[in-house]
Amino acid sequence: MENLFGLLVGIAMGFLIQRVRASSPVVILQNLRLENLGIIKFMATTIAVGMITVYTLNLFIPDLLHFDIKPTYLVGVLVGGLIFGVGFGLGGYCPGTCVVGIGEGRRDAWFALAGGIVGALVFTLVYESLIAPLVALMDFGKITVQDVLHVPAIAAALVIGTIFLVVVKLLPTQVKRA
């Protein structure tokens, strides 16, 4: 049943990614240059709706979901985000959009997927020597917004989700340059 649910969510996400043209490297680069905010607005909306939905479900059916909070490794996340961002900008794809691009028949998406697999292999090979020391730097452990703010999780989800949705509503999709 869990695999079927995961498959349905994956199909729905693939449909939405294609619908907002997030599988197009041209549109992705327009978003990275802040010329078109469509994908950014889509992602912020997805995060907001997902956050509110998950924490609301957890409020009424606590055994339905399992939260696995990952430790906050500040330096490791910063370095990983930088590497991911450079690859995202150079390739024009992220892991999800390259799979959708392959489904659309884009040949360049295969190269992005291959680059991701090679990157994962390199990460695995250098983990003990390079990554583990980064992880140890500024390790804040398993922290959450609700723990830091001392508020219930559903309250944090509602406030953050609402802020995201208001910002999405206020931002233009196409940004005109002066």
Side-chain angles (χ1 to χ4, degrees):
M1 188 65 178
E2 289 180 16
N3 290 339
L4 177 63
F5 182 70
L7 177 65
L8 293 175
V9 170
I11 290 171
M13 277 300 291
F15 172 79
L16 292 173
I17 286 172
Q18 188 175 36
R19 180 97 172 109
V20 300
R21 299 179 44 217
S23 58
S24 166
V26 172
V27 176
I28 288 173
L29 291 177
Q30 288 174 342
N31 275 264
L32 292 174
R33 291 191 306 238
L34 303 178
E35 297 169 353
N36 177 330
L37 304 179
I39 296 173
I40 295 167
K41 292 172 71 174
F42 165 70
M43 294 305 296
T45 302
T46 304
I47 291 167
V49 171
M51 180 185 311
I52 292 170
T53 302
V54 164
Y55 280 100
T56 301
L57 282 173
N58 190 55
L59 191 65
F60 294 106
I61 315 169
D63 295 333
L64 180 66
L65 304 171
H66 170 70
F67 292 103
D68 185 18
I69 307 298
K70 302 296 182 206
T72 302
Y73 308 123
L74 195 56
V75 174
V77 169
L78 287 172
V79 172
L82 179 64
I83 293 169
F84 179 85
V86 168
F88 192 31
L90 289 175
Y93 290 105
C94 72
T97 61
C98 77
V99 173
V100 175
I102 288 170
E104 293 176 342
R106 296 177 184 267
R107 282 185 264 172
D108 58 343
W110 283 101
F111 290 99
L113 180 65
I117 291 170
V118 169
L121 177 64
V122 170
F123 176 85
T124 301
L125 293 174
V126 302
Y127 184 83
E128 288 300 324
S129 60
L130 293 178
I131 307 299
L134 286 177
V135 167
L137 289 174
M138 297 183 76
D139 177 2
F140 291 99
K142 296 182 177 187
I143 57 172
T144 62
V145 172
Q146 62 266 19
D147 292 339
V148 172
L149 298 177
H150 304 289
V151 297
I154 186 68
L158 287 171
V159 169
I160 294 170
T162 301
I163 290 170
F164 273 43
L165 292 174
V166 168
V167 169
V168 164
K169 180 71 177 165
L170 295 176
L171 282 176
T173 301
Q174 294 289 334
V175 179
K176 295 181 180 174
R177 297 281 176 179

